[in-house]
Amino acid sequence: MTMSPTTKPPAESLTLTIDGKDVSCRSGQTILDVARENDIDIPTLCQLDGLTTWGGCRLCLVEIAGSSKLFASCATQCTEGMNITTQSDRLLNYRRMILEMLFSERNHICAVCVSNGHCELQSMAQKLGVTHIHLPYRYPKLTVDSSQDRFRLDHNRCILCSRCVRVCGEIEGAHTKDLKGRGIKTFVINDLDQPWADAKSCTTCGKCVHVCPVGALTERGTAVSEMAKRRAFLPYLTSMREH
Amino acid sequence: MTQSTTTTRSDPALRGGITPAKPRVATVWLDGCSGCHMSFLDLDERLFILAEKVDIVCSPVVDPKEFPPDVDLCLVEGAVSSHHDLEKAKLIRARSKVVAALGDCAVTGNVPAMRNFWEVEELFRRAYIENAEYPDTPEKRKANLPVLNVPPHERIARPLHEIIKVDLFIPGCPPPADAIFYVLTEFLAGRSPNITQVTRFGK
C-alpha cells in the first residue's frame, strides 16, 4: 500500500507589525516564532524549542492593538494585519510581577543552589531588572526526592514550567512525570506520585534534568553552581524525527 | 534615586574644617556572614579613592559603636533576624537619607532565612544543645537554651525592605566589589545606578 502524500493546505503568507516593524510570516506561526525570526526578543520560561506549547509561565505576554487583553505569544497564532507590542511599561511590570511571584512562592536561595549561574529564573530576573521581591516570601516546607540513584527532584526550586513532563512524554515517550494538584498546591510527580526510585516507567535518561530551567531537577553529586544543563540533544532529536 | 550629594548638613566648621563636609557613609552588619563587608574591602586601592570622597562614619571596620546621626548613605548587610537587628534597622532608617540593602541576605533573606521553616526554640535547641560537642548525657538532654549574649530572635528572618523603606538594592552573595564601587560612584555623582547591569541574586 502506498502512503498517500501528506496534504497540507498551502501556507498563506501574512503581513503584520511587531513593535512597529513590518514583518511577514506563514499562517499557523505563533507570534513568538515570528518575533524570534525577526530578532525581536520576548522573554519566556516554560517554552522550549522541540517541546509542545504550554503557555503556563505567562512571561511572553504581548499586547495586540484592538484588544485590552494580553496574549501569550507562544500560544497565539498570527493573523493578517496584527499590530503587536512586545515591550511596554505595562508588560514589563507584569513580567516582573510574575518573576516575583515565582521567587516568593517556594524557596529559591540562589547562593546555595547547584544551578547558581546556570538558572533561567535567576538570569531572567537580572534581565528584567528585578532587584528585590515586593511580596512576602511564603517559606513553604517542601520535600526533596533523593531516592533515585542519579538524579534529584527538589520541589523547593520548582517553578512548574512542565518542561520535564513534556520532554518525558513527548521525546522520551516514558511519561513518568506529570503534575498533580492545582494552583499553589501543584507538584511534579513520578508515576503515581511515588518516590522517583520506585517509578518503574522511568528510563533514567536524564532528559527531564537537562531541560529543567532551574535547580529543581539536578544530577546528584553536584555542588553549588556546578549544575550546568546540556540541551543539545533536544533540537537534534526533534530534527531527526522531522526529516 | 535623586539624592544630591551636596546636601547642606550642619555647619561644616563644626566638623573642624573649612572644606565642605563630605557625604557621610555608614555600613552595618546584621544577620549575615560579613562576606559583603569582605567584598567591600575588596575595593582594594579604590578604598583610597573612596576615602577622599566620603567619610565612613560607622562600620564594622571603623571605631564608632553607636550609629551616628545625619548619615547620607547607609549600606546594610544581612537579614533582619533578632530584636537587636529590628531596632537597629529602625534606627538606621531614622538617621539615614538613603538606605541600601547590600547583598542577598538584606535583599532576599537568603541563607539566614533558611531557618524560617522551624520555630526559634527548635532552631536554638538544635544549634546550642543537640549539636553541642559534649557527650549525650542526661545533663545535656536537660540543658537550657542560652539566655546571655544571644538576643531574642524574631519568628522569621526577613529581608530589610520588609522592615524599613529601602532605597537601593544591591543583590549578590556577595555583591562583587565592582558592583559596590559602581553603586557608590553613581550615588556620589547623584545618579541612579542600574544595578542589574552589574550583579544579580546569588552572584
Side-chain angles (χ1 to χ4, degrees), chain A residues 103 107 109-112 116-117 122-123 125-126 129-137 139-141 156, chain B residues 104 107-108 110-111 113-114 116-118 156-157 159 161-162 169 171 173 195-197 199-202:
Chain A
F103 273 107
N107 304 303
I109 304 160
C110 300
V112 294
N116 188 11
Q122 182 185 45
S123 56
Q126 183 177 24
V130 174
T131 59
H132 66 293
I133 313 303
H134 294 79
L135 302 155
Y137 291 88
Y139 306 115
K141 255 189 187 173
N156 291 281
Chain B
D104 277 352
V107 174
T108 74
N110 200 29
V111 173
M114 289 172 77
N116 293 355
F117 310 114
W118 296 279
I156 58 172
H161 68 269
E162 290 190 15
F169 295 86
C173 187
I195 193 65
T196 48
Q197 274 183 347
T199 185
R200 56 160 166 74
F201 301 131

Coordinates of all heavy atoms in Angstrom, one line a residue, chain A residues 103 107 109-112 116-117 122-123 125-126 129-137 139-141 156, chain B residues 104 107-108 110-111 113-114 116-118 156-157 159 161-162 169 171 173 195-197 199-202:
Chain A
F103 N 9.5 33.7 42.7 CA 10.5 33.7 43.8 C 9.9 33.6 45.2 O 10.5 33.0 46.1 CB 11.4 35.0 43.7 CG 12.5 35.0 42.8 CD1 12.5 35.6 41.6 CD2 13.7 34.2 43.1 CE1 13.6 35.6 40.7 CE2 14.7 34.2 42.2 CZ 14.7 34.8 41.0
N107 N 11.1 28.1 47.7 CA 12.3 28.6 48.4 C 13.5 28.6 47.4 O 14.2 27.6 47.3 CB 12.6 27.6 49.6 CG 11.4 27.6 50.5 OD1 11.0 28.6 51.1 ND2 10.9 26.3 50.7
I109 N 16.9 29.9 46.8 CA 18.0 30.6 47.5 C 19.2 30.4 46.6 O 20.0 29.4 46.7 CB 18.2 29.9 48.9 CG1 16.9 30.1 49.7 CG2 19.4 30.6 49.7 CD1 16.8 29.1 50.8
C110 N 19.4 31.4 45.7 CA 20.4 31.3 44.6 C 21.8 30.9 45.2 O 22.5 30.1 44.6 CB 20.4 32.6 43.9 SG 18.9 33.0 43.1
A111 N 22.2 31.6 46.3 CA 23.5 31.5 46.8 C 23.9 30.0 47.1 O 25.1 29.7 47.0 CB 23.7 32.4 48.0
V112 N 23.0 29.2 47.5 CA 23.3 27.8 47.8 C 22.7 26.8 46.8 O 22.6 25.6 47.2 CB 22.9 27.5 49.3 CG1 23.6 28.3 50.3 CG2 21.3 27.7 49.4
N116 N 23.1 27.8 40.5 CA 23.5 29.2 40.6 C 24.4 29.5 39.4 O 25.4 28.8 39.2 CB 24.2 29.5 41.9 CG 24.5 30.9 42.1 OD1 24.0 31.8 41.4 ND2 25.3 31.2 43.1
G117 N 24.1 30.5 38.6 CA 24.9 30.9 37.5 C 24.4 30.2 36.2 O 24.9 30.5 35.1
Q122 N 16.9 32.9 37.5 CA 17.8 33.9 38.0 C 18.3 34.9 37.0 O 18.2 36.1 37.2 CB 19.1 33.1 38.5 CG 20.2 33.9 39.1 CD 21.4 33.0 39.4 OE1 21.8 32.1 38.6 NE2 21.9 33.1 40.6
S123 N 18.6 34.4 35.8 CA 19.1 35.3 34.7 C 17.9 36.1 34.2 O 18.1 37.2 33.8 CB 19.8 34.5 33.6 OG 18.9 33.5 33.1
A125 N 15.5 37.2 36.0 CA 15.3 38.3 37.0 C 16.3 39.4 36.7 O 15.9 40.6 36.8 CB 15.4 37.8 38.4
Q126 N 17.5 39.1 36.4 CA 18.5 40.1 36.1 C 18.2 40.8 34.8 O 18.3 42.0 34.8 CB 19.9 39.4 36.0 CG 21.0 40.4 35.8 CD 22.4 39.7 35.7 OE1 22.5 38.6 35.4 NE2 23.4 40.5 36.0
G129 N 15.4 43.3 35.3 CA 15.7 44.3 36.3 C 15.0 44.1 37.6 O 14.6 45.0 38.3
V130 N 14.8 42.8 38.0 CA 14.2 42.5 39.3 C 15.3 42.6 40.3 O 16.2 41.8 40.3 CB 13.5 41.1 39.3 CG1 13.0 40.8 40.7 CG2 12.4 41.1 38.3
T131 N 15.2 43.6 41.2 CA 16.3 43.8 42.2 C 15.8 43.2 43.6 O 16.7 42.9 44.4 CB 16.6 45.3 42.4 OG1 15.4 46.0 42.9 CG2 17.1 45.9 41.2
H132 N 14.5 43.1 43.8 CA 14.1 42.6 45.1 C 12.6 42.1 44.9 O 12.0 42.4 43.9 CB 14.2 43.6 46.2 CG 13.3 44.8 46.1 ND1 13.4 45.7 45.1 CD2 12.2 45.2 46.8 CE1 12.5 46.6 45.2 NE2 11.7 46.3 46.2
I133 N 12.1 41.4 45.9 CA 10.8 40.8 45.8 C 9.8 41.6 46.7 O 10.0 41.6 47.9 CB 10.8 39.3 46.2 CG1 11.9 38.6 45.5 CG2 9.4 38.7 45.9 CD1 12.0 38.6 44.0
H134 N 8.8 42.3 46.1 CA 7.9 43.1 46.9 C 7.0 42.3 47.7 O 6.5 42.7 48.8 CB 7.1 44.0 45.9 CG 7.9 45.0 45.2 ND1 8.6 44.7 44.1 CD2 8.1 46.3 45.4 CE1 9.2 45.8 43.6 NE2 8.9 46.8 44.4
L135 N 6.7 41.0 47.3 CA 5.7 40.2 48.0 C 6.4 39.5 49.2 O 7.6 39.2 49.1 CB 5.2 39.1 47.1 CG 4.5 39.6 45.8 CD1 4.5 38.6 44.8 CD2 3.1 40.0 46.2
P136 N 5.7 39.2 50.3 CA 6.3 38.5 51.4 C 6.6 37.0 50.9 O 5.8 36.4 50.2 CB 5.3 38.5 52.5 CG 4.0 38.9 51.8 CD 4.3 39.6 50.6
Y137 N 7.7 36.5 51.3 CA 8.1 35.1 51.0 C 7.2 34.2 51.8 O 6.8 34.4 52.9 CB 9.5 34.8 51.3 CG 10.5 35.5 50.4 CD1 11.0 36.8 50.7 CD2 11.0 34.9 49.3 CE1 11.9 37.5 49.9 CE2 11.9 35.6 48.5 CZ 12.4 36.8 48.8 OH 13.3 37.5 48.0
Y139 N 7.9 30.7 52.4 CA 8.7 29.7 53.1 C 7.9 28.4 53.3 O 7.8 27.9 54.5 CB 9.2 30.2 54.5 CG 9.9 31.5 54.4 CD1 9.4 32.7 54.9 CD2 11.2 31.6 53.7 CE1 10.1 33.9 54.8 CE2 11.9 32.8 53.6 CZ 11.3 33.9 54.2 OH 12.0 35.1 54.1
P140 N 7.4 27.8 52.3 CA 6.7 26.5 52.5 C 7.7 25.4 52.8 O 8.8 25.4 52.3 CB 6.0 26.3 51.1 CG 6.9 27.0 50.1 CD 7.4 28.2 50.8
K141 N 7.3 24.5 53.6 CA 8.1 23.3 53.9 C 7.9 22.3 52.8 O 6.8 21.7 52.8 CB 7.7 22.7 55.3 CG 8.7 23.0 56.4 CD 8.4 22.2 57.6 CE 9.2 22.7 58.8 NZ 8.8 22.1 60.1
N156 N 11.5 22.6 46.3 CA 11.7 23.9 46.7 C 12.0 24.9 45.6 O 11.8 26.1 45.7 CB 12.9 24.0 47.7 CG 12.6 23.3 49.0 OD1 11.9 23.9 49.9 ND2 13.0 22.1 49.2
Chain B
D104 N 22.5 39.6 49.2 CA 21.3 38.8 49.2 C 20.6 38.6 50.5 O 19.4 38.5 50.6 CB 21.6 37.4 48.6 CG 21.6 37.4 47.1 OD1 21.3 38.4 46.5 OD2 22.0 36.4 46.5
V107 N 18.7 41.7 50.9 CA 17.7 41.9 49.8 C 16.6 40.8 49.8 O 15.5 41.1 49.6 CB 18.5 41.9 48.4 CG1 17.5 41.9 47.3 CG2 19.5 43.0 48.4
T108 N 17.0 39.5 50.1 CA 16.0 38.4 49.9 C 15.9 37.6 51.2 O 14.9 36.8 51.2 CB 16.5 37.4 48.8 OG1 17.6 36.7 49.3 CG2 16.9 38.1 47.5
N110 N 17.8 35.3 52.0 CA 18.9 34.3 51.7 C 19.2 33.3 52.7 O 18.2 32.7 53.3 CB 20.2 35.2 51.4 CG 21.3 34.5 50.6 OD1 20.9 33.6 49.8 ND2 22.5 34.8 50.8
V111 N 20.4 33.0 53.1 CA 20.8 31.9 54.0 C 20.2 32.0 55.4 O 19.6 31.1 55.9 CB 22.3 31.7 54.0 CG1 22.7 30.6 55.1 CG2 22.8 31.2 52.6
A113 N 17.5 33.2 56.2 CA 16.0 32.9 56.2 C 15.8 31.4 56.0 O 14.6 30.9 56.1 CB 15.4 33.7 55.0
M114 N 16.8 30.6 55.8 CA 16.6 29.1 55.7 C 16.2 28.5 57.1 O 15.8 27.4 57.1 CB 17.9 28.5 55.2 CG 18.2 28.8 53.8 SD 19.8 28.2 53.2 CE 19.5 26.5 53.0
N116 N 13.7 29.7 58.6 CA 12.3 30.1 58.8 C 11.3 29.0 58.8 O 10.2 29.1 59.1 CB 11.9 31.1 57.7 CG 12.6 32.4 57.9 OD1 13.3 32.6 58.8 ND2 12.4 33.3 56.9
F117 N 11.8 27.8 58.4 CA 10.9 26.6 58.4 C 10.7 26.1 59.9 O 9.8 25.3 60.1 CB 11.5 25.5 57.6 CG 11.9 25.9 56.2 CD1 13.3 25.9 55.9 CD2 11.0 26.3 55.3 CE1 13.7 26.3 54.6 CE2 11.4 26.8 54.1 CZ 12.8 26.7 53.7
W118 N 11.5 26.5 60.8 CA 11.4 26.0 62.2 C 11.1 27.1 63.2 O 11.5 28.2 62.9 CB 12.7 25.3 62.6 CG 13.0 24.1 61.8 CD1 12.5 22.8 61.9 CD2 13.9 24.0 60.6 NE1 13.0 22.0 60.9 CE2 13.8 22.7 60.1 CE3 14.7 25.0 59.9 CZ2 14.6 22.3 59.0 CZ3 15.4 24.5 58.8 CH2 15.3 23.2 58.4
I156 N 10.7 34.8 62.2 CA 11.4 34.5 60.9 C 12.4 35.6 60.6 O 12.3 36.8 61.1 CB 10.5 34.4 59.7 CG1 9.6 35.6 59.5 CG2 9.6 33.1 59.8 CD1 8.9 35.6 58.2
A157 N 13.5 35.2 59.9 CA 14.5 36.2 59.4 C 13.9 36.8 58.1 O 13.3 36.1 57.3 CB 15.8 35.6 59.1
P159 N 13.9 39.9 54.8 CA 14.7 40.9 54.1 C 14.5 42.3 54.7 O 13.4 42.6 55.2 CB 14.3 40.8 52.7 CG 13.0 40.1 52.7 CD 13.0 39.3 54.0
H161 N 13.8 45.2 53.4 CA 12.7 46.1 52.9 C 11.3 45.7 53.5 O 10.3 46.4 53.3 CB 12.6 46.1 51.4 CG 12.3 44.8 50.8 ND1 13.2 43.9 50.4 CD2 11.1 44.3 50.4 CE1 12.6 42.8 49.9 NE2 11.3 43.0 49.9
E162 N 11.3 44.5 54.2 CA 10.0 44.1 54.8 C 9.9 44.8 56.2 O 8.8 44.8 56.8 CB 9.9 42.6 55.0 CG 9.7 41.9 53.7 CD 9.3 40.4 53.9 OE1 9.0 40.0 55.0 OE2 9.4 39.7 52.8
F169 N 18.9 48.5 46.1 CA 19.1 47.1 46.3 C 20.3 46.6 45.6 O 20.4 46.9 44.4 CB 17.8 46.3 45.9 CG 16.6 46.6 46.7 CD1 15.8 47.7 46.3 CD2 16.3 45.9 47.8 CE1 14.7 48.0 47.1 CE2 15.1 46.2 48.5 CZ 14.3 47.3 48.2
P171 N 21.8 43.2 45.0 CA 21.9 41.7 45.2 C 23.3 41.2 45.0 O 24.1 41.9 44.4 CB 20.9 41.2 44.2 CG 20.5 42.3 43.3 CD 21.1 43.6 43.8
C173 N 25.9 37.5 46.3 CA 26.3 36.7 47.6 C 27.7 36.4 47.5 O 28.0 35.2 47.2 CB 25.4 35.5 47.8 SG 25.7 34.7 49.3
I195 N 21.4 48.6 38.7 CA 22.1 47.6 39.5 C 22.2 46.3 38.8 O 23.1 45.5 38.9 CB 21.6 47.5 40.9 CG1 22.5 46.7 41.8 CG2 20.2 47.0 40.9 CD1 23.8 47.4 42.0
T196 N 21.1 45.9 38.0 CA 21.1 44.6 37.5 C 22.1 44.5 36.3 O 22.3 43.4 35.7 CB 19.7 44.1 37.0 OG1 19.1 45.2 36.3 CG2 18.8 43.8 38.2
Q197 N 22.7 45.6 35.9 CA 23.7 45.5 34.9 C 25.0 44.9 35.5 O 25.8 44.4 34.8 CB 24.1 46.9 34.5 CG 23.3 47.5 33.3 CD 23.8 48.9 32.9 OE1 24.6 49.5 33.6 NE2 23.3 49.3 31.8
T199 N 25.2 43.1 38.8 CA 25.1 42.0 39.7 C 23.7 41.4 39.7 O 22.8 41.9 39.0 CB 25.4 42.4 41.2 OG1 25.4 41.3 42.0 CG2 24.4 43.4 41.7
R200 N 23.5 40.2 40.3 CA 22.2 39.6 40.4 C 22.1 38.7 41.6 O 23.1 38.6 42.4 CB 22.0 38.6 39.1 CG 23.2 37.6 39.0 CD 22.8 36.4 38.2 NE 24.0 35.7 37.8 CZ 24.7 34.8 38.6 NH1 24.3 34.7 39.9 NH2 25.7 34.2 38.2
F201 N 20.9 38.1 41.9 CA 20.8 37.2 43.0 C 21.8 36.1 42.9 O 22.0 35.5 41.8 CB 19.4 36.6 43.1 CG 18.3 37.5 43.1 CD1 17.2 37.4 42.3 CD2 18.2 38.5 44.1 CE1 16.1 38.3 42.4 CE2 17.2 39.4 44.2 CZ 16.1 39.3 43.3
G202 N 22.5 35.8 44.0 CA 23.5 34.7 44.0 C 24.8 34.9 43.3 O 25.6 34.0 43.2

